[in-house]
Amino acid sequence: MAKRIMIVDDSMYTRLELRNLLLSHGYAVAGEASNGRAAVEMYDRIKPDLTIVDAQMPDMDGVCTIRQIHLLDPNALLLVCASSGERGIAMEAMSAGAVDLCVKPFVERAVTSTIRRALAGIVR
């Protein structure tokens, strides 16, 4: 059965880009959220195998989203997505519980490699 991945990003374009990438590599998209609050509510219902969270979002940023999901499920697998200029928030997200980082703009091979490592339990 395909691993189920949830995408959390306020950019519709980024969600579409990630969805297409995931589907082309045999993953299932369990859900999509455009903000952290919706992601936390959705996570509790769908329990994805992995959640990819944007670092910078209005209302509830990636760090807060990661913390809230970890309160619901301490074993949650979360990746944070950030641009190279957002290194500080990416490191904060890793401290909050993200297991790895996907760098924007996305490079397909790097993203799929990061996802495989995370699902295999190989963390940074």
Side-chain angles (χ1 to χ4, degrees):
M1 176 153 44
K3 294 292 185 178
R4 299 169 58 251
I5 300 176
M6 183 167 81
I7 302 167
V8 184
D9 199 298
D10 58 315
S11 165
M12 184 184 307
Y13 174 80
T14 301
R15 291 193 313 270
L16 176 63
E17 182 180 17
L18 275 173
R19 178 185 330 125
N20 290 339
L21 188 151
L22 294 170
L23 293 173
S24 73
H25 285 272
Y27 296 106
V29 176
E32 295 181 26
S34 61
N35 64 66
R37 292 190 196 291
V40 172
E41 292 172 14
M42 186 180 297
Y43 182 91
D44 200 34
R45 284 193 319 268
I46 65 175
K47 303 284 196 254
D49 297 304
L50 178 73
T51 303
I52 301 173
V53 181
D54 183 27
Q56 293 285 348
M57 294 182 289
D59 192 31
M60 180 188 277
D61 68 13
V63 174
C64 291
T65 302
I66 288 166
R67 284 190 182 123
Q68 290 297 311
I69 289 174
H70 264 281
L71 287 174
L72 293 172
D73 179 3
N75 297 314
L77 277 178
L78 297 115
L79 297 178
V80 62
C81 291
S83 68
S84 58
E86 298 173 327
R87 190 165 187 81
I89 195 164
M91 293 300 109
E92 190 178 348
M94 302 274 287
S95 294
V99 297
D100 211 336
L101 167 69
C102 290
V103 178
K104 290 180 179 181
F106 299 122
V107 174
E108 185 171 349
R109 186 171 26 191
V111 173
T112 56
S113 176
T114 300
I115 290 169
R116 278 193 305 274
R117 281 195 316 269
L119 290 169
I122 303 166
V123 296
R124 282 188 174 183

